[in-house]
Amino acid sequence: MKVLKTTGVLLASALALPAMLAAPAHADDPKPGGKPPSQGPAKAPAKPVAVPPPQMSTVGGARLGQPGTQVNLLPGAPALPADLSGRSWIVADAESGEVLAANNAHWRLPPASTLKMLFADTVLPTLPKDKVHKVEPEELEDVGPGSSVVGLKEYYDYSVHDLWLGVFLASGNDAVHVLSAMNGGVDKTVKDMQAHAEELQALDTHVVSPDGYDSPEQVSSAYDLTLFARSGMQKKDFREYAGTASAEFPGKQEPGKARETFQIQNTNRLLAGTHGMSQYPGIAGVKNGTTTMAGSTFTGIAQRGSKKLLVTVMNPAAGGGNVVYEETRALFDWGFAAAGKVKPVGELVPPKSADTRPLGSPAQSHENTPAAAGGESGGLTTAVAVTGGVLVVLAGGVFLVNRRWPRSQRGRRPQE
């Protein structure tokens, strides 16, 4: 098992966007070995004007189904950041589930690799992390052109632990496909993910591929991605992988010799403090993504004092590889400053199995409705409480999870 390397109190990671003029239009990361593309970022083409649907899902509250920005500022509350360009975004309290502010929260948009949060939340508990698997050629055949990959080799052995590092750090679609094969195949994994999304009441989501690769029918929403992150962060292994900055990954193996390794880094720039972005204080994950159809997407979780926030930003209209992180940073700053000074506009609902008090309109599946970028169209709050270094997760008082927040680094130096 490889030793995970992290960044001190701040957990780190980095996103390297593909050159928009080349085939890696679906890639989230540089090639294995950690070096970003040598060419400068391509100038982003002008995006067509997109209009949110007039009526969206009201899961979590009626205000969340309305187009445009939803916020209730009380006296003394700071104004929302100016010039936010994300087509959809949400700021929520990770403990209470209260949505502090949102913009087109249920707009069904392409999710890119942020959908890997649902993949991990669905599949991670089913596979022992010490299980070793030999990669077969057919397991890599359907990895889409231009995908971000960790660099798996046919007939090489990898542990499940290694493969999850490849998913979370390198956003490796090759690792996703191998884990899917171990889970019974891509088709079964897609069905499992869809069923889990339904259980989480993430009803804007339609899964086509487990890795988030572009497909006209594959959509999610800022609301749903936030549900995936919240559910995933309640799992110890998910938290560990999402909060890992860098790790040594298995490389070339030759008989009679120690196996070579190479370093991989997480692709979350607010965690890594790379590509011109500084680390965001208290961040602990979760996942970024970039594809041609989705633009840039990001869901993050961070803590300041006793307050824990989740922020998701989808497809900023402004150009540049850092914009999704800059807007997320601004929304984190606003959310921490606005805590206790806003009236919530909705809530993050718990899973169906824990939902006893519907909020807003009854939850309905959108599986049979058109899945387009134009979009369409509760219960007991799941409380996530972090006190004294222990994360306590309550879903109707059913379960709890222990974790350090943020993970203690015991004096380790940040990884550059």
Side-chain angles (χ1 to χ4, degrees), residues 72-78 340-342:
N72 292 322
L73 299 176
L74 300 178
K341 300 176 183 178
V342 297

Side-chain angles (χ1 to χ4, degrees), residues 24-332:
H26 299 271
D28 297 321
D29 328 79
K31 293 182 181 295
K35 290 187 177 181
S38 58
Q39 66 268 30
K43 184 177 180 181
K47 293 185 178 181
V49 176
V51 180
Q55 187 66 37
M56 294 171 279
S57 168
T58 55
V59 173
R63 288 284 297 273
L64 300 181
Q66 298 176 17
T69 300
Q70 308 299 320
V71 65
N72 292 322
L73 299 176
L74 300 178
L80 282 166
D83 302 323
L84 293 173
S85 67
R87 288 185 177 179
S88 177
W89 54 259
I90 190 170
V91 182
D93 188 304
E95 285 189 342
S96 67
E98 293 177 342
V99 177
L100 306 185
N103 181 63
N104 304 319
H106 282 290
W107 193 355
R108 305 182 77 199
L109 297 166
S113 284
T114 48
L115 194 65
K116 289 183 172 79
M117 293 187 295
L118 174 61
F119 169 72
D121 196 40
T122 303
V123 177
L124 195 153
T126 70
L127 299 173
K129 64 194 303 182
D130 58 353
K131 181 180 177 64
V132 175
H133 178 79
K134 185 183 294 293
V135 174
E136 299 295 335
E138 59 269 21
E139 296 170 354
L140 302 176
E141 287 177 354
D142 294 329
V143 176
S147 288
S148 51
V149 296
V150 69
L152 301 183
K153 301 299 183 183
E154 298 174 359
Y155 306 117
Y156 276 25
D157 293 329
Y158 300 91
S159 69
V160 168
H161 173 73
D162 295 329
L163 295 171
W164 283 119
L165 288 174
V167 171
F168 278 87
L169 275 68
S171 199
N173 288 8
D174 50 353
V176 170
H177 279 255
V178 171
L179 286 164
S180 296
M182 297 177 69
N183 186 58
V186 168
D187 290 344
K188 176 183 179 297
T189 299
V190 166
K191 291 178 181 178
D192 290 347
M193 291 171 64
Q194 192 66 59
H196 189 49
E198 295 279 341
E199 162 60 15
L200 294 177
Q201 302 202 69
L203 306 180
D204 300 320
T205 298
H206 178 79
V207 183
V208 175
S209 64
D211 51 21
Y213 195 83
D214 277 344
S215 170
E217 296 182 350
Q218 183 149 268
V219 291
S220 190
S221 67
Y223 185 88
D224 285 10
L225 294 176
T226 307
L227 290 181
F228 301 152
R230 195 175 189 222
S231 178
M233 291 297 287
Q234 295 173 9
K235 297 175 174 62
K236 179 179 181 296
D237 286 345
F238 187 108
R239 291 193 302 270
E240 182 177 77
Y241 293 127
T244 297
S246 63
E248 293 299 312
F249 195 80
K252 187 176 181 181
Q253 59 184 37
E254 295 182 357
K257 294 184 179 180
R259 189 166 185 178
E260 297 178 4
T261 64
F262 58 91
Q263 188 179 84
I264 58 174
Q265 292 187 328
N266 205 307
T267 57
N268 172 349
R269 295 184 185 183
L270 287 185
L271 262 147
T274 58
H275 295 78
M277 295 299 300
S278 60
Q279 296 172 346
Y280 191 81
I283 194 162
V286 183
K287 190 70 187 78
N288 53 278
T290 301
T291 66
T292 302
M293 291 177 62
S296 294
T297 65
F298 179 64
T299 298
I301 187 168
Q303 176 176 1
R304 184 176 297 176
S306 62
K307 183 63 62 177
K308 282 70 60 180
L309 296 179
L310 283 157
V311 172
T312 296
V313 176
M314 299 186 76
N315 200 348
N322 282 337
V323 173
V324 73
Y325 299 103
E326 292 166 349
E327 297 193 8
T328 297
R329 178 188 293 274
L331 287 170
F332 268 134

Side-chain angles (χ1 to χ4, degrees), residues 326-386:
E326 292 166 349
E327 297 193 8
T328 297
R329 178 188 293 274
L331 287 170
F332 268 134
D333 287 345
W334 175 84
F336 287 122
K341 300 176 183 178
V342 297
K343 181 180 179 181
V345 295
E347 72 171 10
L348 302 177
V349 294
K352 285 183 180 179
S353 58
D355 193 351
T356 61
R357 181 181 54 82
L359 175 64
S361 64
Q364 297 179 356
S365 171
H366 297 293
E367 280 302 281
N368 295 320
T369 59
E376 73 276 340
S377 133
L380 285 174
T381 301
T382 302
V384 181
V386 181

